Amino acid sequence: MKLTFPAIDRASTAPLWFQIMRAIESQIVDATWVPGDRLPSESELCGYFDASRTSVREALSRLESAGIISRRQGKGAFVERAQGPSAWTLPSAPSLLGEYSEDGRSALTSQILRGGIEPLPSWAAAVIARGDSTGFVLERVRSVGSRVAVHVTNFMPARLAGILPDLRDPRASLYATITRVVGTRIARMHRTIEAATADRTLATLLEVEVGHPIVVVDAVAYDQTGEPIDISRASVRTDRMRVSVDTGFDAGGMSHESASGRYPTSSRPDAARSPSSPRPTR
């Protein structure tokens, strides 16, 4: 079998197994190999990539954990399914995943990295905490199946911290939980979408190389009284999740005037942004 993988960058800081994994995954996404196809043997892959068997096995193990391939004793590795990006539609409804929710449960699974009462950045406090210095901070990585696709941090008023136990459910929807536990309904969203690249921290969290292209969605959520109660920043791997925008339905009967209303501004300087500090929407 003639192998035609993308070239390995020996000068890259990304581990060799990671580059091998991405090279194999790209062939499957591009339909060079389709479900049921047998992958080259470990020896063939070692020879092609000039890599150790340890690196090749680690790459295959990661692909198997993600459900992209399966390995059968004595037979080799086989493609299970072509993993194209899942759709993430950004509707005019409160939840980014509203049309995928079932009984208040998200289509994505979440792992909480941190959650609790913390000092807020001054710009976040000015918008959602009415000047209070602390608030409820929630940082998560979210996955499609077993594949990490999104890193998101939310800054909310301290009074919402009581929802944290309910969010331990990996498929809990943040906004559905706020409505159910606190009785506050998200009635309006303002979002900004921009292209970015992953820094070292995000690269580790999203399992990509430093500099990998991502899409960043900054958002402010408003309750039914018009008060902003959440500022979030989501960094999305678009090779695993496709972002589109749907403006074709009414979000809870909102008028055009309220949907395009005035949004809070911030005096936060244009400084480098960390994953846990979303830029205020403009």
Side-chain angles (χ1 to χ4, degrees):
M1 176 185 293
K2 183 178 180 180
L3 304 183
T4 55
F5 292 106
I8 293 296
D9 182 3
R10 299 287 172 176
S12 172
T13 58
L16 189 54
W17 68 261
F18 182 87
Q19 296 189 59
I20 295 171
M21 177 189 71
R22 292 297 301 277
I24 296 173
E25 185 179 23
S26 70
Q27 299 288 80
I28 296 172
V29 170
D30 293 342
T32 301
W33 294 323
V34 298
D37 283 354
R38 181 181 181 277
L39 269 61
S41 67
E42 289 184 5
S43 296
E44 289 175 303
L45 292 172
C46 288
Y48 182 88
F49 290 113
D50 189 20
S52 69
R53 192 172 294 270
T54 299
S55 294
V56 168
R57 285 180 174 171
E58 180 66 18
L60 294 176
S61 177
R62 298 286 180 132
L63 291 169
E64 185 177 33
S65 296
I68 297 174
I69 69 169
S70 63
R71 289 186 288 180
R72 305 170 195 171
Q73 185 69 33
K75 295 184 177 180
F78 295 82
V79 178
E80 284 297 310
R81 60 181 183 269
Q83 292 279 18
S86 300
W88 189 10
T89 299
L90 305 187
S92 49
S95 175
L96 291 175
L97 290 162
E99 69 273 40
Y100 294 104
S101 296
E102 299 173 358
D103 300 325
R105 291 169 63 78
S106 173
L108 298 184
T109 57
S110 297
Q111 176 188 357
I112 297 176
L113 302 181
R114 79 183 202 273
I117 302 296
E118 297 183 12
L120 291 172
S122 59
W123 52 267
V127 174
I128 51 92
R130 296 183 178 180
D132 290 346
S133 61
T134 60
F136 177 36
V137 180
L138 179 67
E139 181 183 5
R140 296 170 292 167
V141 288
R142 312 196 68 191
S143 303
V144 179
S146 59
R147 302 191 304 160
V148 173
V150 184
H151 171 273
V152 60
T153 304
N154 299 79
F155 296 89
M156 295 168 279
R159 64 183 176 83
L160 297 183
I163 69 173
L164 184 59
D166 294 77
L167 296 176
R168 300 297 182 188
D169 177 351
R171 287 192 58 209
S173 164
L174 173 61
Y175 290 161
T177 301
I178 289 175
T179 299
R180 178 173 54 81
V181 176
V182 184
T184 298
R185 178 175 59 84
I186 307 301
R188 178 161 58 91
M189 297 289 298
H190 176 63
R191 298 185 179 97
T192 300
I193 305 173
E194 65 179 329
T197 56
D199 61 15
R200 188 172 298 277
T201 300
L202 271 178
T204 299
L205 292 170
L206 294 177
E207 301 177 352
V208 296
E209 304 95 333
V210 174
H212 185 85
I214 58 174
V215 165
V216 174
V217 181
D218 291 332
V220 180
Y222 299 79
D223 67 14
Q224 60 267 44
T225 70
E227 289 293 320
I229 64 166
D230 176 40
I231 298 178
S232 64
R233 184 169 212 246
S235 301
V236 185
R237 277 190 62 166
T238 53
D239 58 335
R240 290 185 170 178
M241 182 164 283
R242 183 179 295 110
V243 178
S244 61
V245 178
D246 180 3
T247 59
F249 64 87
D250 180 13
M254 292 190 304
S255 67
H256 174 74
E257 181 179 359
S258 64
S260 59
R262 295 182 296 275
Y263 305 104
T265 57
S266 166
S267 59
R268 185 187 181 204
D270 288 332
R273 302 190 303 279
S274 71
S276 59
S277 301
R279 185 175 67 185
T281 54
R282 297 182 294 275

